[in-house]
């Protein structure tokens, strides 16, 4: 599964230099951070609505859209999925309460 994230991250990085007329992702990059954040918000809302509907295929589809747009944000911010995976790995074995208590922000 990590291979999928790595491959997708490479494609999203390539799209940074693509013509916005030729690529949905390039068009989002060209519109800037606010457009990317708006899309993530839309996808998060659609994910919530799908979960409320309780249809597994719809939930999977919407979560895939949410993850995809979150990966676009990471690339736009020059971050990598591996960094998020490393953070999740760091939290592994910690209780949620313990992890929250360790936060500095």
């Amino acid at each position: 599964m990590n291979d999928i994230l790595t491959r997708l991250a490479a494609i999203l990085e390539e799209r940074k230099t693509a013509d916005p007329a030729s690529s949905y992702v390039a068009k989002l990059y060209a519109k800037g951070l606010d457009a990317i954040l708006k899309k993530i918000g839309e996808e998060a809302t659609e994910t919530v609505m799908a979960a409320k509907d309780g249809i597994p295929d719809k939930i999977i589809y919407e979560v895939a859209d949410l993850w995809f747009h979150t990966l676009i944000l990471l690339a736009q911010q020059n971050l990598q999925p591996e960094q998020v995976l490393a953070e999740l790995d760091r939290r592994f074995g910690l209780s949620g309460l313990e992890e929250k208590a360790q936060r500095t922000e």
Side-chain angles (χ1 to χ4, degrees), residues 43 46-47 50 57-67:
E43 297 302 341
E46 290 172 6
T47 299
D57 288 346
K58 191 173 179 182
I59 295 167
I60 290 167
Y61 182 88
E62 294 302 342
V63 169
D65 279 352
L66 179 59
W67 286 12

Side-chain angles (χ1 to χ4, degrees), residues 20-88:
S22 70
S23 162
Y24 168 77
V25 173
K27 187 183 294 186
L28 265 182
Y29 288 143
K31 289 181 179 180
L33 180 60
D34 286 345
I36 295 167
L37 296 175
K38 180 179 178 187
K39 193 63 184 169
I40 290 172
E42 290 171 7
E43 297 302 341
T45 299
E46 290 172 6
T47 299
V48 169
M49 291 171 21
K52 293 290 266 179
D53 291 343
I55 302 169
D57 288 346
K58 191 173 179 182
I59 295 167
I60 290 167
Y61 182 88
E62 294 302 342
V63 169
D65 279 352
L66 179 59
W67 286 12
F68 178 76
H69 288 89
T70 302
L71 289 169
I72 293 171
L73 171 66
L74 289 175
Q76 192 267 347
Q77 295 289 309
N78 297 312
L79 300 169
Q80 296 295 317
E82 291 79 10
Q83 292 172 279
V84 177
L85 294 174
E87 175 59 17
L88 289 171

